[in-house]
Amino acid sequence: MADAIKVLLVDDHQVVRRGLRTFLEVQDDIEVVGEAADGAEGVDRAEELRPDVILMDVKMPGMDGVDALRRLRELDNAARVLIVTSFTEQRTVVPALRAGAAGYVYKDVDPDALAGAIRSVHAGHILLQPEVADALLSQEETNSGPGRAGSLTDREREVLGLIADGRSNREIARALVLSEKTVKTHVSNILMKLDLSDRTQAALWAVRHGVTG
């Protein structure tokens, strides 16, 4: 399955991992390449296996999902992380999103919806419920309100709009006829000027303030 989406399962409950694997292995375009029982093992396996998508629990012994996300970002691991959680509180989900998760689903999610979520985050999209998006943005609103948009160049606004559309750096480079290195520089400048920490927050900011691709 050379073109299949490679998925790593990170959850401290073996029965959960087994259930996820059983379902995902019947999907023609998804391949489970490994499992891990905690965040530290998940980081190691992610570096070893280079999955496209990681299904990550939040609450785990030792290194939890949020710390694992931060470590993956420090390592510049390209995997998209989809949080799979039984916790609905914003105080649980929001830190994971701020740490770099591409979205989240609940453990009782419909199996077909889970497969759709994996495909969606792999394609570059962000999966958030409106109330969580608002909570995430409200924490940044004071320092990165609409007045900050004036500090962006026209090119940076174009890049930001494409981030909001869920485009990867490679796709943005292709659309704007730029090198990926140049796009990466633009993204870094956008995050710095808007005082945001990652692409998820940048995409949410763009949607909130009407910057579209």
Side-chain angles (χ1 to χ4, degrees), residues 188-210:
S188 296
N189 288 340
I190 290 166
L191 296 180
M192 178 185 66
K193 289 180 178 181
L194 298 181
D195 195 21
L196 301 171
S197 61
D198 57 47
R199 294 171 71 96
T200 300
Q201 292 180 26
L204 291 169
W205 189 98
V207 171
R208 169 69 68 88
H209 299 297

Side-chain angles (χ1 to χ4, degrees), residues 86-109:
S86 57
F87 296 91
T88 59
E89 299 95 337
Q90 292 179 7
R91 64 178 179 271
T92 300
V93 175
V94 169
L97 296 169
R98 296 190 69 186
Y104 68 95
V105 294
Y106 298 125
K107 287 186 176 179
D108 60 356
V109 65

Side-chain angles (χ1 to χ4, degrees), residues 55-112:
L55 297 186
M56 179 96 71
D57 192 11
V58 178
K59 299 293 185 181
M60 293 181 287
M63 180 183 287
D64 64 15
V66 175
D67 286 338
L69 276 158
R70 292 177 180 139
R71 182 59 181 150
L72 287 169
R73 188 160 62 179
E74 289 172 358
L75 293 169
D76 202 24
N77 191 289
R80 303 274 286 171
V81 178
L82 183 62
I83 292 295
V84 184
T85 180
S86 57
F87 296 91
T88 59
E89 299 95 337
Q90 292 179 7
R91 64 178 179 271
T92 300
V93 175
V94 169
L97 296 169
R98 296 190 69 186
Y104 68 95
V105 294
Y106 298 125
K107 287 186 176 179
D108 60 356
V109 65
D110 177 85
D112 290 332

Side-chain angles (χ1 to χ4, degrees), residues 16-59:
V16 173
R17 299 198 309 272
R18 184 178 301 159
L20 290 170
R21 177 183 281 274
T22 298
F23 168 70
L24 294 176
E25 284 184 338
V26 303
Q27 304 298 311
D28 292 338
D29 60 339
I30 296 174
E31 177 187 6
V32 177
V33 295
E35 300 180 15
D38 58 43
E41 184 184 4
V43 171
D44 290 342
R45 296 289 279 164
E47 286 292 283
E48 173 192 353
L49 299 170
R50 293 290 167 174
D52 300 306
V53 176
I54 300 173
L55 297 186
M56 179 96 71
D57 192 11
V58 178
K59 299 293 185 181

Side-chain angles (χ1 to χ4, degrees), residues 112-128:
D112 290 332
L114 175 61
I118 291 170
R119 297 181 185 110
S120 184
V121 298
H122 179 249
H125 300 295
I126 298 167
L127 299 181
L128 302 177

